[in-house]
Amino acid sequence: MLEESSRNYVKPTTTLPTESFTETEMLLHWNKYAQRLGEKGFRIMESLLLINDPKLEGESRITLELPNEGSKLDFEGQIHGLLGHLKGHLHNHDITIDVIVNESFESKRSFNDQDRYNRLMEINPNIELLRTTFGLDLQS
């Protein structure tokens, strides 16, 4: 009896939204998701998301360039949460993310001594007082 009733059941078809979006909108939600991960303590995934700006190709294909195979594996292990976030906020369920490994990739973020010092100054302006009080210099 149950078998007979399940054969007659027709699953209703639903159409998932596929609205178009701009690269700027995608980047906004990409960065918000990265920030949320950072606040939750998922620093590695946050840094992978922010290492390079993803590019929108076509209407729903996003490509991200990562520096090595290990970072690609880490990223792909956590990709489902990002995809869900983007699909929901951009109202497009056709979104795909392609990861490209580029061994010669150079991060857009520069981490020389001055950059690190400037970042510390953003976090705590008293660093400058410490530097001047003890006569510290950035030169090695």
Side-chain angles (χ1 to χ4, degrees):
M1 182 98 172
L2 180 62
E3 193 175 298
E4 191 176 296
S5 66
S6 67
R7 270 188 279 159
N8 294 333
Y9 177 73
V10 177
K11 185 177 180 182
T13 57
T14 57
T15 306
L16 297 173
T18 56
E19 296 177 15
S20 61
F21 57 91
T22 65
E23 188 170 78
T24 305
E25 292 170 322
M26 180 269 299
L27 285 171
L28 173 71
H29 291 292
W30 184 281
N31 290 331
K32 280 184 182 179
Y33 185 77
Q35 182 181 4
R36 263 191 18 217
L37 286 176
E39 290 168 358
K40 291 180 179 180
F42 297 102
R43 300 282 184 205
I44 293 173
M45 186 62 177
E46 176 191 24
S47 68
L48 290 175
L49 288 169
L50 299 176
I51 199 166
N52 191 13
D53 286 340
K55 304 284 184 234
L56 179 62
E57 296 182 11
E59 292 191 14
S60 60
R61 183 173 170 244
I62 300 169
T63 58
L64 178 66
E65 202 171 284
L66 292 176
N68 56 51
E69 205 57 47
S71 58
K72 177 182 178 181
L73 291 173
D74 287 343
F75 180 82
E76 288 177 342
Q78 302 293 321
I79 199 170
H80 297 296
L82 173 63
L83 272 172
H85 176 83
L86 292 174
K87 287 177 179 182
H89 284 85
L90 296 172
H91 308 290
N92 187 321
H93 287 262
D94 288 342
I95 294 174
T96 59
I97 299 176
D98 294 332
V99 180
I100 299 167
V101 175
N102 184 353
E103 298 284 343
S104 63
F105 169 78
E106 290 183 26
S107 176
K108 290 183 178 178
R109 296 175 188 237
S110 154
F111 293 111
N112 63 28
D113 290 341
Q114 186 64 48
D115 292 332
R116 289 183 188 111
Y117 179 74
N118 292 340
R119 178 66 180 128
L120 288 172
M121 284 282 296
E122 289 174 16
I123 295 170
N124 187 348
N126 291 329
I127 296 290
E128 178 63 21
L129 176 63
L130 181 70
R131 188 186 69 76
T132 56
T133 301
F134 292 104
L136 302 174
D137 194 2
L138 292 177
Q139 304 301 325
S140 36

